[in-house]
Amino acid sequence: MKLSFLGAARQVTGSMFLLEVDDYRILIDCGSDLERSNGQTPPITPHTGFFPFEASSINLVLLTHAHVDHSGNLPNLYREGYEGQILCTEPTYALTEVLLRDAATLNQKRINELNASKKQRVRDRQAQMMKDLYLEKQVRETMTNVVPIAFNRRFKVADGIDVTFVPAGHLLGAAHIVINVLENGERKSLCFSGDIGRRNYPLLVDPAPVPQVDYLVCESTYGNRLHEHKMSPMDALADVIQRTCIDIPGRLIIPSFSVGRTQALLYTLNRLYNERNFPPIKVFSDSPMAYESTKIYMQNIRLMNTEAKEFYEENEALFDFQNFEFLESSKASKAVSNYGEPCIIISSSGMVQGGRVEYHVAANISNPYSTILIIGYCAEGTLGWRLLNGQSTLTIKGKEHQVMARIERTDVFSGHGDRNDLMQFVQMQSPETLRRLFLVHGEYESMEAFRDTLAEAGYPQVEIPRRGQTYEL
């Protein structure tokens, strides 16, 4: 049995791992590699295709969850010749379709912009991009091959191989994947953590325990740090709203990812208005993708935590409350600028890079009565990163703006478990029984720090694979 690390190795994005049992080849995740997209990560091999293997040689794909750094290259896999199935949970199936369709729409816009150019170098670039950009047709083909699997049920995928999806928190439908293999009369087991959620997160169940395994592939996003803010999401959001919309008649702009983060925000706001008698401040959610994702959340209440299910039974709604409005059209989005009362605007993207949120930031960034609350990670160079780093002016869509709004940040809505959560996950495994532990999905400094923490806890067999590295198990 061989395990190859083809993505998220000494970096955060592009999760992709290849497990080979004799002639049976399983791909675990097939995510977009943002580092590769930026030209920072060289190809693994001189293979002529998009992937460092023949897509047609893969027998099965297992998907931990819907986020594009885990799912975003699935359409390219089919375009290059893969003909098998994708196994994942029911919510992951639905959310993945939303995310991939959105990516295909953006790809088409990029191609249209390049096609409109009369410059030869731009047309050459368009020809190169066409090799890497999938469209709606490839997304439809991908989704017809997805097979939803229930949580906590063993599913036989081949002779001597079965898989189990275990709740991971982090995002609706997210799973740890446990694989049991019978090879040459010997039983071996592996667990791929996916992304590990944090405990007591709005709507989501806590990460569930996994059985003892021989090999563990563990994410390490927060391997070297703890969450900074210790307040509960309700208390943190209540504090910000009180200061920005009640004590003064201001506006609160919250850049938020449409899938997962926006639903946590809306549910928390609903609880605030129901349980703490907050004034009915108008709330606008401005993201078509958030609208589609929220419908999927409503269809899967049975998979949410006890608190959310009880709240729904009592109030008959998770996300719909007084003075709340989804903005479906661009016209309605721009009209919010004329709303004269205190309000909260939630819009994508979370990094303030692309999407409708750029318009809201541009319209409010020079207003000293406005506050922009950053609730997630912002990659270097994005507008969100520039705001957090105290730039006094920002150029948005070619126009320069003075930064006069208040800029705040909180990590209480981060869906990633921190170092303590990661340790709790790993310590379900006996260090005497676990043969090897692989760290993935994190910055290299985070991985090194987490390896040291694990060594102190008695886990000596910790590896930090390089991209393209293969291990015999």
Side-chain angles (χ1 to χ4, degrees):
M1 182 166 65
K2 295 191 295 184
L3 177 61
S4 299
F5 294 83
L6 307 180
R10 304 194 179 194
Q11 66 183 53
V12 177
T13 63
S15 288
M16 185 166 61
F17 315 107
L18 178 62
L19 179 66
E20 300 174 79
V21 184
D22 294 328
D23 294 329
Y24 197 81
R25 295 158 63 87
I26 302 173
L27 196 66
I28 298 91
D29 284 347
C30 189
S32 298
D33 184 342
L34 303 182
E35 284 88 344
R36 175 178 176 178
S37 299
N38 292 332
Q40 297 174 7
T41 303
I44 301 172
T45 70
H47 190 276
T48 57
F50 189 87
F51 300 95
F53 51 78
E54 291 290 342
S56 59
S57 71
I58 302 299
N59 298 97
L60 180 68
V61 175
L62 305 177
L63 181 59
T64 59
H65 65 286
H67 283 148
V68 293
D69 60 326
H70 294 258
S71 69
N73 272 327
L74 287 170
N76 283 325
L77 192 68
Y78 282 95
R79 190 169 63 173
E80 289 216 351
Y82 178 58
E83 297 179 344
Q85 295 178 330
I86 302 167
L87 304 187
C88 63
T89 66
E90 182 74 41
T92 294
Y93 164 75
L95 292 174
T96 297
E97 183 171 19
V98 170
L99 285 161
L100 294 183
R101 282 172 48 204
D102 181 72
T105 299
L106 293 176
N107 288 344
Q108 185 65 67
K109 288 180 179 178
R110 293 168 68 188
I111 290 171
N112 291 345
E113 290 171 357
L114 291 171
N115 281 337
S117 175
K118 296 181 180 180
K119 296 180 180 180
Q120 181 62 46
R121 63 179 180 81
V122 175
R123 290 200 300 271
D124 292 344
R125 182 182 168 207
Q126 187 263 349
Q128 179 61 41
M129 285 180 64
M130 282 293 291
K131 298 178 181 178
D132 293 349
L133 298 183
Y134 54 82
L135 301 176
E136 181 71 24
K137 177 183 177 182
Q138 285 79 39
V139 174
R140 287 197 302 270
E141 179 184 5
T142 299
M143 300 316 298
T144 60
N145 289 284
V146 177
V147 178
I149 301 297
F151 278 117
N152 297 317
R153 293 186 182 178
R154 281 197 175 193
F155 188 84
K156 181 179 178 181
V157 298
D159 288 341
I161 306 175
D162 65 65
V163 301
T164 305
F165 289 80
V166 179
H170 180 66
L171 180 71
L172 185 68
H176 311 305
I177 298 179
V178 178
I179 304 176
N180 290 292
V181 175
L182 179 61
E183 184 182 45
N184 300 323
E186 181 184 3
R187 294 192 178 276
K188 301 175 184 177
S189 56
L190 307 87
C191 176
F192 294 84
S193 73
D195 285 354
I196 299 167
R198 60 193 300 184
R199 298 181 180 277
N200 302 313
Y201 191 80
L203 298 170
L204 302 181
V205 297
D206 290 345
V210 297
Q212 178 69 49
V213 295
D214 298 304
Y215 303 96
L216 178 63
V217 179
C218 183
E219 67 115 324
S220 55
T221 311
Y222 273 74
N224 62 346
R225 61 195 187 276
L226 303 175
H227 289 299
E228 297 175 9
H229 297 91
K230 304 305 179 185
M231 300 172 73
S232 71
M234 273 189 72
D235 289 339
L237 197 55
D239 173 65
V240 174
I241 295 172
Q242 182 70 46
R243 291 185 288 102
T244 61
C245 296
I246 299 175
D247 293 344
I248 61 171
R251 285 185 167 206
L252 177 60
I253 315 297
I254 309 179
S256 176
F257 295 109
S258 298
V259 180
R261 203 70 56 87
T262 293
Q263 289 72 39
L265 273 171
L266 294 178
Y267 168 67
T268 303
L269 284 166
N270 195 1
R271 289 190 62 196
L272 282 175
Y273 292 147
N274 272 276
E275 299 173 10
R276 300 197 182 180
N277 297 317
F278 260 52
I281 300 164
K282 188 74 174 182
V283 177
F284 299 100
S285 177
D286 190 14
S287 165
M289 195 196 307
Y291 180 73
E292 294 297 321
S293 303
T294 300
K295 290 193 292 186
I296 294 169
Y297 269 66
M298 284 300 300
Q299 294 163 3
N300 289 278
I301 293 174
R302 71 189 188 283
L303 296 178
M304 294 180 185
N305 61 33
T306 300
E307 177 188 77
K309 288 188 283 190
E310 290 178 349
F311 183 86
Y312 177 75
E313 290 176 5
E314 182 177 344
N315 297 279
E316 299 183 348
L318 286 177
F319 311 109
D320 192 14
F321 48 89
Q322 184 182 7
N323 277 345
F324 169 66
E325 181 180 348
F326 267 115
L327 303 175
E328 298 188 40
S329 68
S330 297
K331 183 178 179 180
S333 172
K334 293 180 179 180
V336 171
S337 293
N338 298 320
Y339 186 78
E341 299 296 322
C343 65
I344 301 168
I345 302 172
I346 303 168
S347 186
S348 63
S349 74
M351 296 188 191
V352 201
Q353 194 72 19
R356 294 182 181 179
V357 73
E358 284 193 16
Y359 172 80
H360 295 297
V361 169
N364 291 277
I365 192 68
S366 298
N367 180 0
Y369 288 93
S370 290
T371 300
I372 299 172
L373 176 64
I374 305 295
I375 64 170
Y377 170 75
C378 292
E380 184 174 350
T382 61
L383 286 175
W385 180 84
R386 293 172 188 170
L387 287 169
L388 289 173
N389 280 271
Q391 285 194 200
S392 59
T393 61
L394 280 182
T395 300
I396 303 175
K397 296 188 181 300
K399 185 177 179 180
E400 188 173 279
H401 301 267
Q402 292 290 324
V403 179
M404 299 178 68
R406 174 191 287 269
I407 311 301
E408 296 196 17
R409 178 182 178 274
T410 181
D411 62 3
V412 297
F413 287 97
S414 168
H416 276 280
D418 64 11
R419 185 182 65 211
N420 289 343
D421 295 304
L422 298 180
M423 281 300 299
Q424 192 164 355
F425 175 78
V426 171
Q427 287 178 321
M428 289 186 282
Q429 305 294 320
S430 165
E432 290 78 22
T433 305
L434 189 66
R435 298 187 189 181
R436 195 170 290 178
L437 196 163
F438 302 97
L439 298 183
V440 297
H441 198 294
E443 296 174 349
Y444 187 56
E445 295 78 9
S446 175
M447 294 178 176
E448 287 187 308
F450 192 43
R451 178 174 59 185
D452 293 342
T453 301
L454 289 166
E456 292 174 4
Y459 292 88
Q461 301 296 324
V462 180
E463 302 280 351
I464 304 179
R466 290 182 174 83
R467 190 165 178 258
Q469 191 166 359
T470 297
Y471 294 81
E472 292 278 351
L473 304 182

